[in-house]
Amino acid sequence: MKKILVTGGAGFIGNHLCRKLLADGNYVVCLDNFFTGLKKHIADLLDNPKFKLIEHDIVDTIDIDCEQIYNLACPASPPHYQYDSVKTLKTSVLGILNMLELAKKYNATILQASTSEVYGNPLQHPQNETYWGNVNPIGVRSCYDEGKRAAETLMMDYHRQHNTDIRIVRIFNTYGPNMDPKDGRVVSNCIMQALNGEDITVYGDGSQTRSFCYVDDLVNGLILMMNKEGITGPVNLGNPSERTVLNLAEMIKKLTDSKSKIVFKPLPSDDPIKRKPDITLAKNELGWEPKIDIEDGLKNTIEYFKTV
Ligand code: NAD
Ligand code: UDP
């Protein structure tokens, strides 16, 4: 049994991770400020003696002794991270600084939830970890992209300067049950619209691509990475099965048997044109690859959204 700190543990990926770590017999401290996380997603864990919730903002310092830290705290959907962009940048940069100080003090291993957004609007396809990216430093997505890039820099500098045991994972689009229906991401928007008989909103002409990974696959990858010795990353974690956003919307319409119309809305600024992970490194180093295909994953997710 390890004592594990999960920041952002009440968020979409975080609550799945907390559950899996508890199921594996660990003691889990979930730290969250509930900006996008939902209390109902961890409500059933509160009576578990091996689970502790701390309501706290990682921009402020805190002292928690632990053996492993998963740093997930950061809003992930564009409308949420753009809502208070200055705060988003502080969360990424000051947040990881505070967590790295904890890791240094307690000799803990720290994993940073980085993102495919560090590749920006990629000129290399698919994206592998040696690609430095094509990021706009002054656009509406920059608070998130540059914040995550700076966090990777701090991780590597603590590793080089203080020998901190670090793991950087670059997560590609992830979906599944317990997403917030109001999160504003394409999967949650399209499913909710399809189920409610509303227009399904596709931004731009829908030809931009994404590669969607089911949350259980992703969580397995995070845990494998954390427990792998002698590796810092960055390592991509995502499902390399690439599709257009229009294809995703059509698939959701079909799977929900919905009468909704697909309508086209303006493409947000700096929306990446394509995105697909090269996961050779994760396969070779972690023996990891996604197992759940999009149709099964969407069916599970749709069943969840029917209950909210
Ligand atoms: P989410 O918004 O559902 O969860 C983020 C959690 O962090 C929420 O519970 C929120 O309340 C908490 N939080 C935000 N700011 C905080 C702060 N200052 N202090 C304490 N807690 C704070 O997002 P998610 O989809 O679960 O993403 C989790 C992590 O994975 C994020 O760091 C995100 O950048 C990264 N990521 C996610 C995806 C994806 O597709 N979901 C893709 C790439 C990277
Ligand atoms: N998108 C869309 N309709 C929506 C929400 C998003 O067509 O209702 C598009 C968005 O413009 C982007 C893709 O879907 O091209 C994925 O968006 P999301 O916000 O889920 O993730 P990200 O842009 O961060 O990859």
Side-chain angles (χ1 to χ4, degrees), residues 177-204:
N178 286 4
M179 289 182 96
D180 177 358
K182 297 196 187 72
D183 200 38
R185 279 181 270 194
V186 66
V187 172
S188 45
N189 275 5
C190 292
I191 296 180
M192 288 309 290
Q193 291 159 343
L195 290 176
N196 293 332
E198 295 162 5
D199 289 348
I200 298 174
T201 54
V202 166
Y203 300 162

Side-chain angles (χ1 to χ4, degrees), residues 76-103:
S77 96
H80 282 141
Y81 70 64
Q82 288 167 25
Y83 169 77
D84 183 347
S85 49
V86 174
K87 179 63 195 275
T88 299
L89 199 49
K90 280 187 183 170
T91 294
S92 277
V93 178
L94 300 179
I96 192 65
L97 207 49
N98 288 332
M99 292 306 118
L100 280 162
E101 279 298 311
L102 269 191

Side-chain angles (χ1 to χ4, degrees), residues 7-14 31-38 56-59 71-77 80 87 91 113-116 144 148 171-175 183 185:
T7 78
F12 160 53
I13 297 173
L31 182 157
D32 208 293
N33 71 348
F34 293 101
F35 173 51
T36 52
L38 299 175
H56 178 81
D57 194 312
I58 54 159
V59 163
N71 187 46
L72 270 57
C74 185
S77 96
H80 282 141
K87 179 63 195 275
T91 294
S114 191
T115 167
S116 54
Y144 184 73
K148 291 286 187 178
I171 302 170
F172 284 63
N173 296 64
T174 301
Y175 71 99
D183 200 38
R185 279 181 270 194

Side-chain angles (χ1 to χ4, degrees), residues 2-19:
K2 288 200 166 63
K3 185 171 179 195
I4 303 177
L5 172 62
V6 179
T7 78
F12 160 53
I13 297 173
N15 84 83
H16 287 273
L17 177 63
C18 288
R19 274 166 217 288

